[in-house]
Amino acid sequence: IDSFTKFSCPVCCDIFRDPVLLSCSHSVCRTCLQQFWETKGSQECPVCRRRSSKSDPPCNRALKNLCEAFLESRSQRASAEFEVLCSLHNEKLKLFCLEDQQPVCVVCNLSKAHKNHNCCPIDEAVCDFKTSLERLQQNLKALEEVKQTCDETAAHIKCQAQHTERQIKEEFEKLHQFLRDEESARIAALKEEEEQKSHMMRRKIEEMNGEIESLSDQIRNLQKEMEAEDILFLPKVSALLINVAKHLSSLKFRVWENMQKILQYTPVTLDPNTAHPHLHLSDDLTTAECRPQTSLLPDNPERFEVYPCVLGSEGFNSGTHCWDVDVGGSEYWALGVIRESESRKGSSVWDSVWSLHYSKSSNEYWISCPGQADHVLTPTEKLQRVRVQLDWDRGKVTFTDLITSSHLHTITHTFTDTVFPIIYSYSSPVRLLPAKISVMIENQSVVC
C-alpha cells in the first residue's frame, strides 16, 4: 500500500501516467493537470496551490520509469500468485497428459498414475486447444449460416404454399362460378319451357272448358254421337310435355364441353424453383420475363445462378413431346432441352443444352449443341412463334416456325438421360402457348 501511495497521482489517485514536474517540485499526470487547470481557470499546483511558471511542465522521467517498473513488478507478482500448483506434489503444472486429458507436474509424469502416458508441454496443449476451438468456432459459424439458409428456405416454402393455395382457390372459384352460371342458364331454360308448355295447356284447357260448356246441354240426347266425336275434340298437339331428355341428356358432358371455352392446357408448365432470381414467372406458370429481383429467393440447387433460365416442371425420358412458345419481341432468347444432371450454378450450363438461340444485337439465329460448333440459321422472316418437338426415342429435337409452318432445323442426338424443356429470356416476356383441346366420340357397334 505504501508503494502504491508513493506512485499515485494526487488528482486521480491512480499510478502516474506520463507524470510532469511542476516548479514547486510536485508531480501530477499530464492529463490530470490539464483538466485541473481548465476547471480552475488558472495554472495552480493541485497540491500546494502555487502558480506554475510554465504552461507546459517537463516530463518527470525518473518517476515515469519507476511507475512503469512498479506496474511490471506487480503484474509479475500477480501472475506468480495465480500460477496453479499440483495438489499432490506442490509443483508447477508444466505438462499435459494427452490420455487423461489433464495438466500434470514433472513428478506426476514419472509416477505410476501417468507412467508411459503421452504428455506434452502445457503451452503446446493450450495451442492445440486454441486451434481446435477456432476450428469448432468456424464449424459453428458455418452451421449457423446453413441454419439461416434453412430458415429462409422454410419461410419461402411457407410463402409458396400460401400463394399456391390462394391460386388454387381462385381457379376453383372460377370453375364454381362457371358451374353456377351453367346451372342458372339450364334452370332458366327449363323454366322458360315450363312456362311455354303451361301457357299452351292453360289455353287448351280454356278452349276445352268453353266447348264443354256449350255442349253440356246436348250430352244427354247426343251421348252416342258425342262419344264418337270426343276423339275428334281431344287435343292432338304434340310436344306438350317437358322435354326432359333435352335438359338431362349427357348433362355433365355438355357442361364440360362448354367449359372448354374457359379452359387452357399447356403441355409444359414452368418450374418456379428453377427460375433465375431475375426471371419473373406469371401466376399460371406459362410466361417468363426478366426483370430486377424484388423478393429474396432461396439459393436451392435447382435454381439457375448465372443465366436467366427456367425449366419445365416435367422431364422426359421417352416418347414424343411438343410445346409452342411465343418469343414475341424478346431481344435475346433460347429454347430447347437440357440434361437433368447438369449443374445450374456455373457458366457451363450450355454444355448440356440442345437449343435454338436469337440475339437482336447481332440479328442472328443459331443452333447450339454440346460438343459441336454453332450452326447459323437464316429464316425468311423474324420468328414470332416457335414449336419445339422432342422425339426422345429417335433422338431428335425439331424447331418449326409456327407462323409460316416452315421447318427450321432438326438436331439429332442419342439421349440417355432425362431431359427438361429450358427457356432463356433476357428482355421481353416469353410465353408458352396453350394447346388446342378437341374431343372425339367413338360410336361402338354391338355384335350379337
Side-chain angles (χ1 to χ4, degrees):
I1 297 176
D2 293 341
S3 298
F4 183 84
T5 305
K6 183 166 50 177
F7 296 123
S8 61
C9 171
V11 177
C12 64
C13 298
D14 200 353
I15 301 299
F16 282 107
R17 294 186 300 275
D18 190 16
V20 294
L21 181 63
L22 299 175
S23 55
C24 60
S25 300
H26 291 122
S27 295
V28 187
C29 294
R30 185 181 299 276
T31 303
C32 295
L33 181 64
Q34 294 297 332
Q35 292 177 351
F36 181 78
W37 282 358
E38 290 176 1
T39 304
K40 293 292 290 182
S42 60
Q43 297 180 358
E44 296 179 358
C45 172
V47 180
C48 64
R49 304 300 181 183
R50 288 184 58 184
R51 186 175 182 82
S52 174
S53 58
K54 297 180 180 179
S55 59
D56 186 16
C59 176
N60 191 341
R61 296 188 179 277
L63 180 59
K64 181 179 181 181
N65 294 336
L66 288 173
C67 291
E68 291 176 354
F70 174 74
L71 291 173
E72 183 178 358
S73 175
R74 187 173 67 172
S75 176
Q76 291 177 353
R77 286 198 305 273
S79 299
E81 290 175 0
F82 287 105
E83 196 169 46
V84 181
L85 301 178
C86 177
S87 60
L88 297 176
H89 309 106
N90 204 30
E91 294 286 340
K92 294 180 180 179
L93 300 174
K94 294 184 177 181
L95 302 175
F96 186 80
C97 180
L98 299 177
E99 298 185 20
D100 295 329
Q101 292 291 302
Q102 65 180 34
V104 295
C105 67
V106 178
V107 180
C108 290
N109 186 35
L110 300 175
S111 64
K112 293 181 180 180
H114 300 278
K115 191 174 183 180
N116 298 326
H117 286 186
N118 291 326
C119 296
C120 68
I122 199 166
D123 293 341
E124 293 183 6
V126 171
C127 182
D128 292 340
F129 278 121
K130 287 182 178 179
T131 303
S132 300
L133 178 61
E134 291 175 358
R135 189 180 301 111
L136 290 173
Q137 289 174 338
Q138 292 175 356
N139 292 340
L140 176 62
K141 184 179 179 181
L143 287 174
E144 289 176 345
E145 292 176 354
V146 172
K147 181 180 179 298
Q148 182 179 358
T149 301
C150 291
D151 291 340
E152 293 173 354
T153 303
H156 182 69
I157 290 172
K158 186 175 182 180
C159 291
Q160 273 188 314
Q162 292 175 346
H163 181 68
T164 305
E165 180 182 354
R166 184 167 59 253
Q167 286 181 286
I168 291 173
K169 290 182 177 179
E170 289 175 356
E171 291 300 317
F172 270 93
E173 177 57 30
K174 292 177 183 177
L175 295 176
H176 293 160
Q177 186 59 46
F178 174 83
L179 292 175
R180 287 193 291 267
D181 294 343
E182 281 287 316
E183 179 186 12
S184 299
R186 292 179 181 275
I187 291 177
L190 173 62
K191 295 294 185 183
E192 183 179 359
E193 184 178 357
E194 178 190 11
E195 180 61 28
Q196 291 175 354
K197 298 295 176 67
S198 298
H199 178 72
M200 184 185 302
M201 288 307 300
R202 286 195 300 269
R203 186 161 52 90
K204 291 295 180 182
I205 290 172
E206 290 175 358
E207 291 177 358
M208 292 299 297
N209 286 335
E211 292 292 335
I212 291 172
E213 184 177 354
S214 64
L215 298 175
S216 59
D217 56 346
Q218 302 177 26
I219 289 177
R220 293 185 185 91
N221 300 325
L222 301 174
Q223 185 172 5
K224 289 182 180 183
E225 289 82 0
M226 288 298 298
E227 288 177 355
E229 294 178 3
D230 279 343
I231 300 175
L232 298 177
F233 284 109
L234 288 176
K236 298 297 183 178
V237 182
S238 61
L240 290 176
L241 300 180
I242 294 294
N243 192 347
V244 178
K246 182 185 73 173
H247 297 288
L248 297 182
S249 175
S250 302
L251 177 60
K252 295 177 181 177
F253 175 79
R254 300 304 175 191
V255 172
W256 177 81
E257 196 174 31
N258 290 337
M259 192 180 292
Q260 295 182 50
K261 300 174 183 177
I262 66 169
L263 295 181
Q264 283 191 346
Y265 168 74
T266 51
V268 172
T269 300
L270 302 179
D271 183 0
N273 294 335
T274 66
H276 185 276
H278 289 175
L279 206 59
H280 178 76
L281 304 185
S282 60
D283 288 340
D284 60 359
L285 303 180
T286 61
T287 304
E289 180 180 6
C290 191
R291 64 173 69 166
Q293 184 177 357
T294 57
S295 60
L296 184 64
L297 298 174
D299 186 20
N300 48 304
E302 304 89 350
R303 192 176 305 281
F304 283 95
E305 180 182 49
V306 178
Y307 299 102
C309 297
V310 62
L311 299 187
S313 60
E314 181 183 0
F316 308 122
N317 55 16
S318 64
T320 301
H321 310 273
C322 178
W323 57 98
D324 300 336
V325 186
D326 184 350
V327 293
S330 181
E331 297 180 359
Y332 195 112
W333 52 263
L335 310 173
V337 294
I338 183 174
R339 190 160 47 205
E340 179 183 23
S341 58
E342 182 61 35
S343 173
R344 321 282 166 77
K345 299 303 179 184
S347 57
S348 62
V349 170
W350 301 108
D351 294 343
S352 297
V353 178
W354 296 264
S355 52
L356 166 64
H357 296 247
Y358 169 72
S359 173
K360 183 179 180 180
S361 59
S362 60
N363 194 26
E364 284 185 342
Y365 297 92
W366 69 93
I367 297 293
S368 176
C369 299
Q372 299 181 19
D374 293 343
H375 175 70
V376 178
L377 299 179
T378 56
T380 55
E381 297 181 6
K382 182 180 179 181
L383 298 180
Q384 298 289 332
R385 296 186 173 187
V386 178
R387 170 167 292 172
V388 184
Q389 183 169 347
L390 167 68
D391 189 339
W392 195 95
D393 298 323
R394 296 183 178 180
K396 293 182 178 180
V397 181
T398 302
F399 300 96
T400 306
D401 183 356
L402 277 181
I403 303 297
T404 61
S405 298
S406 58
H407 172 262
L408 297 173
H409 190 81
T410 296
I411 300 173
T412 56
H413 177 80
T414 302
F415 295 108
T416 57
D417 301 332
T418 300
V419 294
F420 281 78
I422 183 173
I423 289 179
Y424 173 97
S425 176
Y426 188 72
S427 57
S428 300
V430 172
R431 182 170 63 94
L432 288 162
L433 298 173
K436 293 183 179 180
I437 303 174
S438 62
V439 179
M440 183 176 64
I441 302 175
E442 294 182 356
N443 292 323
Q444 298 181 352
S445 59
V446 180
V447 179
C448 298

